[in-house]
Amino acid sequence: MFGPLGGGVPIPPAAASAGAAAHALSTPCRQARSKSLNLAVVLFPGFELLDVAAPGELLGAKPELVTLTYCALAPGPVASSCMELRGGAQGPSLLATHSLQKGGLISKSPSPGGASESGGGEPFKPDGILVPGGKGVRSEVQNPALLQWLLEAALGSEVIFTVCTGSWLLGAAGGLDSVSATSNKAALRDGHPQRAAPQVQWQMNARWVEHERVLEDGVSQLVITSSGVSAGGDAALALLARLGGLEVARQVAHAAEWSWQEDPTIDPFAKAYGLSWEGEWCGPMLQALVRSSSCQCSLVEWAR
């Protein structure tokens, strides 16, 4: 269903050349769809604003390809974070128009007049999910209701898209088991995603990672996980390229004056956080280290 884009995945990022990635980007395979992909954007208190706003802007530019539905455990305003973990401020609230329902479903909240809109408020299954990261991940990984919904939704989604530590959250729910994925580099350096989700094949050096798998019901699923915050915009454009073709994605990037890093293997932040080893895929080594109960140091301390 989905063809290779951005070097294809899973590949050890260090093993893919920029030339190979550029070649793959020049000949993307489009997914044949008769309707727009309905992507449920999962909001929770303290989600990172740009994790949602950047993909929301870029994907929202092509509603014929992607429809965004903003959801939360309870509908209504949900406060964001503007890098509060780095001394920033609480961000503006976004409105969750839909609530999360059992079985990975969502439903439209009632209108002020009491009558619900399209579908009569009946729960329905979105085509995919977008899971942001942010300060709130630290508490939401302990939220059984959200974790259960994420797992159920992930098992039935055509597309999974995480930004920053959203992969940590979804991984903790079990939704990324055996998947090649990346996350925020500071979080990976400190080992948080690895400890919460040791069954994920964490990629240390990647701007974003694409992974395809076939679910038990035979459905082909595309999983895109991005690195920290702004990387979600690059990954969103990669998803647009999958759905509508590379030129469509480039046109959106140009209209937004977005400087798109088209090669997912170019990740300067991995090196900045001590996660990049030249010519060597360090994922398995770091995985083994974090899983070791005897390891009391952070990854960056071990790297030194």
Side-chain angles (χ1 to χ4, degrees), residues 7 28 49 71 73 93-94 96 140 163 180 183 185 188 209 220 232 266 296:
L49 180 60
C71 317
L73 283 173
S93 295
L94 295 187
E140 296 303 322
V163 182
S180 294
S183 192
K185 294 304 180 288
L188 286 173
V209 172
S220 178
I266 297 177
Q296 301 298 320

Side-chain angles (χ1 to χ4, degrees), residues 189-210:
R189 174 199 63 190
D190 295 334
H192 298 306
Q194 299 97 310
R195 284 190 290 269
Q199 300 307 314
V200 178
Q201 300 302 308
W202 294 107
Q203 307 297 306
M204 304 299 149
N205 188 1
R207 183 70 171 164
W208 77 87
V209 172
E210 300 171 40

Side-chain angles (χ1 to χ4, degrees), residues 102-280:
K102 289 183 179 180
L105 305 181
I106 61 176
S107 66
K108 175 76 177 180
S109 62
S111 65
S116 42
E117 297 182 12
S118 61
E122 291 296 320
F124 65 95
K125 174 185 171 184
D127 300 317
I129 56 174
L130 191 163
V131 185
K135 175 187 176 183
V137 166
R138 273 80 177 161
S139 56
E140 296 303 322
V141 291
Q142 305 297 328
N143 185 337
L146 181 58
L147 293 177
Q148 182 63 31
W149 187 90
L150 287 172
L151 177 58
E152 292 171 346
L155 294 177
S157 288
E158 185 179 334
V159 173
I160 292 174
F161 182 13
T162 71
V163 182
C164 196
T165 51
S167 56
W168 171 5
L169 179 58
L170 185 58
L176 293 177
D177 284 3
S178 301
V179 169
S180 294
T182 195
S183 192
N184 174 279
K185 294 304 180 288
L188 286 173
R189 174 199 63 190
D190 295 334
H192 298 306
Q194 299 97 310
R195 284 190 290 269
Q199 300 307 314
V200 178
Q201 300 302 308
W202 294 107
Q203 307 297 306
M204 304 299 149
N205 188 1
R207 183 70 171 164
W208 77 87
V209 172
E210 300 171 40
H211 183 109
E212 276 191 78
R213 59 180 175 178
V214 178
L215 303 179
E216 290 183 357
D217 57 5
V219 173
S220 178
Q221 182 183 76
L222 173 65
V223 183
I224 299 180
T225 57
S226 84
S227 186
V229 196
S230 65
D234 289 345
L237 290 166
L239 177 57
L240 280 183
R242 286 272 195 162
L243 297 171
L246 180 59
E247 286 309 310
V248 168
R250 284 176 171 168
Q251 289 166 9
V252 170
H254 180 77
E257 298 190 19
W258 186 277
S259 192
W260 182 21
Q261 173 52 262
E262 294 186 7
D263 185 347
T265 69
I266 297 177
D267 182 12
F269 298 98
K271 184 176 182 180
Y273 283 99
L275 297 176
S276 179
W277 277 260
E278 188 66 28
E280 182 178 355

